[in-house]
Amino acid sequence: MSGRRPSRRRPTACRLVRARARLPEHTPQRGTAFVETLLAMPIVLLLGLGALQWALLFHARTALEYALLEGARAGSVAQARPDAIEAGLARGLMPFWFGVDATRPWLVAVGASGVQLRQGLAAGWVAWRQLAPTVESFGDWGEPARDAAGYPVPGLVEIPNDSLQWSALRQPAGGVAGLRGDEPIGARSQQTLNDANLLKLELRYGVPMTVPLIGRMAVWVMRIVDGCAAPSARRLGAVDLGTPTPAAAPRAWACAMYLAPDASGTPVPRWPVRASATIRMQSPARRSAMTPVRTQSAVQGPSLPPPLATSAQSTSHLQSAPEAQSTPESPSNSGVPSTGAPASSDAASLVAGHPDEPSTPPPASSHPGAIAATPASDGSRLRSSSGWLSLGGERTFSVPGACLDAG
């Protein structure tokens, strides 16, 4: 103890344990991180590609909603004409298709967008339809169309858009089904005049699935789910993707878009996107080839098309209006305002003395649900003998009786 220094050497057993701990070449866990990375990378890659593809889809949907709103705005100021709506669609889709190019003139870009829109409509990856107003809307509220000078346009029927604050005084030609506030509801269309002045459009678009691998996989799954292809199994390397199950309510309209071709005729995997827009008409809506019947419109429930009404039937409807007011079942006794139109046996005599009105009614449309609208049965008050409201641009419309008596 006196002068002897203590030994610093540890026990032999401790040295052996520590030495074995410093020998990584003998551990069985070598390379596990690399194997885990190999297993996780495909999953992470698929999730990343899927997130990218869905982000592109949401971007496309936003662009389509804007384009459809442009089409609806163009149609609202142009009598809901299909060519005006498609011109608005082309303008709205131009930034989505071509981006912002300062070197390209705006008119050239819009023209190229119109060409691509027509190609898409022909190939089937672009489709639009009008949901409202319907044929029944024109049957209830249609009047003879007029040009900018106020003269009737033969063969065209339009829904009046002016003086809607007096819409409660107009009567639907197809009869009254009830009241919404003080506005009568048309029996055929189930719409008031303000409802009939809403333009609703739907756009269906096949968005190209441009992200590798995930795009084709998603289209393969959805084609089977929507009943567009027979169920089949698929493998991704060693991974069995299984067999998708068809949906109970498949979207039949989407089948034409999943593999719609591009301009060169090559099938392109696409994802169908559907958007809708509703806007109030800023001009009288005119009936066109795109006007649907209620059974074709998602806005309305199923119904049968109304029968064709001739001009004689329209005249008899006008003649029987005062008599119907005295019956208990008359709509006027249930709170519906009366039109105040006098009865007459000759529709032409109702507009006699007014050179801007035709002596014969315009021809009715060939559609089975058409209404032969005439100046005598347009659902508005008649012009007075003094010629009030007979100048160009002015339309006959329901006004307070005091205004009529003032002439």
Side-chain angles (χ1 to χ4, degrees), residues 226-290:
D226 283 333
C228 306
S232 61
R234 180 170 293 189
R235 301 182 66 89
L236 181 61
V239 180
D240 186 7
L241 300 180
T243 303
T245 304
R251 302 177 301 172
W253 61 268
C255 295
M257 294 189 175
Y258 280 120
L259 296 177
D262 56 10
S264 63
T266 304
V268 177
R270 301 177 185 272
W271 189 273
V273 174
R274 182 166 56 181
S276 62
T278 304
I279 194 169
R280 182 167 294 279
M281 289 296 300
Q282 304 300 316
S283 60
R286 291 183 177 178
R287 183 171 164 179
S288 66
M290 299 298 293

Side-chain angles (χ1 to χ4, degrees), residues 18-34:
R18 188 174 182 180
R20 290 177 180 177
R22 290 198 301 265
L23 298 177
E25 63 273 11
H26 298 292
T27 178
Q29 298 181 353
R30 182 182 181 184
T32 55
F34 179 72

